[in-house]
């Protein structure tokens, strides 16, 4: 069984990777990261089943080159890459309509939605066809349209309802 985990340098990604490496069923684990991480490099030195690949999921060139670096089939694909805030560009979770701006919205959609789909497009030829195949992409509860009683998105809608009633 082979697994690919994207966002491996992030908080959740690294924690999941450590957990998954404890399972003997994985013959090989590909871990995708963007910015180098000492914690990931230390894990890879100890664990021959772990293969690190530097991939910017927002780069079409990186995605096109990715299948050539993998040996399929992949049985599990987990994508924990995401963007909620970015101190370098002053991006914070918005709490009101007035805090929205085009650049941050576009960046959020790109990292949290578009990149997840384009990663699967790139991996499609390598996905297991006859054996187990599981694909998971992490989101956030505030992104749920079925269960969204918490979070800023709901607060914005409630505030708008109050102002129009
Ligand atoms: N932490 C929570 O409590 C929580 C709760 C609910 C949902 N979530 C969701 O779970 C996901 C992971 O959360 P987290 O706390 O682990 O976040 P995190 O620590 O910020 O990790 C996000 C990861 O995504 C990677 N990433 C962002 N843009 C990328 C790109 N263009 N190409 C490749 N990698 C990219 C980052 O890589 P770099 O290191 O290179 O930036 C980082 O490793 C997010 O979608 C988040 O919204 C988290």
């Amino acid at each position: 069984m082979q697994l690919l985990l994207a966002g491996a340098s992030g908080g959740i990604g690294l924690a999941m990777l450590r957990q998954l490496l404890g399972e003997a069923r994985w013959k090989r684990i590909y871990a995708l990261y963007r910015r180098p991480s000492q914690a990931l490099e230390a894990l890879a030195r100890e664990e021959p089943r772990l293969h690190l690949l530097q991939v910017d999921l927002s780069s079409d060139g990186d995605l096109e080159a990715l299948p050539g670096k993998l040996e399929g089939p992949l049985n599990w694909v987990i994508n924990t890459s995401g963007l909620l805030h970015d101190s370098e560009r002053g991006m914070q979770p918005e709490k009101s309509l007035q805090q929205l701006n085009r650049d941050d919205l576009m960046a959020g959609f790109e990292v949290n939605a578009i990149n997840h789909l384009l990663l699967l497009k790139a991996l499609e030829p390598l996905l297991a066809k006859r054996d187990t195949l599981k694909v998971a992409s992490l989101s956030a509860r505030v992104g749920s349209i079925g269960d969204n009683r918490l979070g800023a998105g709901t607060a914005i809608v409630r505030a708008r309802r109050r102002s129009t009633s």
Side-chain angles (χ1 to χ4, degrees):
M1 295 266 281
Q2 299 201 112
L3 179 149
L4 182 144
L5 176 76
S9 59
I12 293 177
L14 190 60
M16 285 184 93
L17 184 61
R18 289 201 163 105
Q19 190 80 24
L20 291 160
L21 283 167
E23 298 180 7
R25 63 177 156 162
W26 303 114
K27 188 181 79 175
R28 184 183 288 139
I29 296 182
Y30 293 108
L32 273 48
Y33 67 99
R34 182 178 54 170
R35 283 181 283 201
S37 144
Q38 289 185 354
L40 264 186
E41 284 160 14
L43 270 184
R45 278 194 294 274
E46 289 167 14
E47 180 48 81
R49 294 174 301 157
L50 178 59
H51 298 255
L52 300 185
L53 294 167
Q54 188 164 23
V55 177
D56 181 346
L57 297 170
S58 299
S59 157
D60 288 337
D62 279 13
L63 287 175
E64 278 162 25
L66 179 60
K69 298 175 180 171
L70 305 172
E71 277 178 53
L74 299 172
N75 303 99
W76 280 28
V77 175
I78 306 175
N79 192 344
T80 66
S81 68
L83 175 66
L84 182 60
H85 50 77
D86 182 348
S87 54
E88 278 171 28
R89 50 185 289 169
M91 179 180 170
Q92 289 296 326
E94 63 279 350
K95 301 269 187 240
S96 75
L97 287 173
Q98 294 311 312
Q99 289 173 357
L100 298 173
N101 73 68
R102 186 174 301 277
D103 286 349
D104 289 352
L105 287 169
M106 293 301 281
F109 274 105
E110 178 171 45
V111 173
N112 297 317
I114 295 168
N115 287 357
H116 287 244
L117 293 169
L118 292 182
L119 174 63
L120 287 180
K121 175 187 170 188
L123 295 178
E124 191 181 17
L126 294 153
L127 298 178
K129 289 177 182 63
R130 294 199 195 97
D131 204 357
T132 305
L133 173 64
K134 290 182 193 284
V135 174
S137 266
L138 251 68
S139 179
R141 197 170 179 184
V142 291
S144 167
I145 54 172
D147 178 11
N148 190 359
R149 287 161 292 162
L150 301 168
T154 314
I156 289 173
V157 172
R158 284 205 186 118
R160 183 131 184 90
R161 283 204 187 116
R162 269 201 302 275
S163 69
T164 53
S165 62

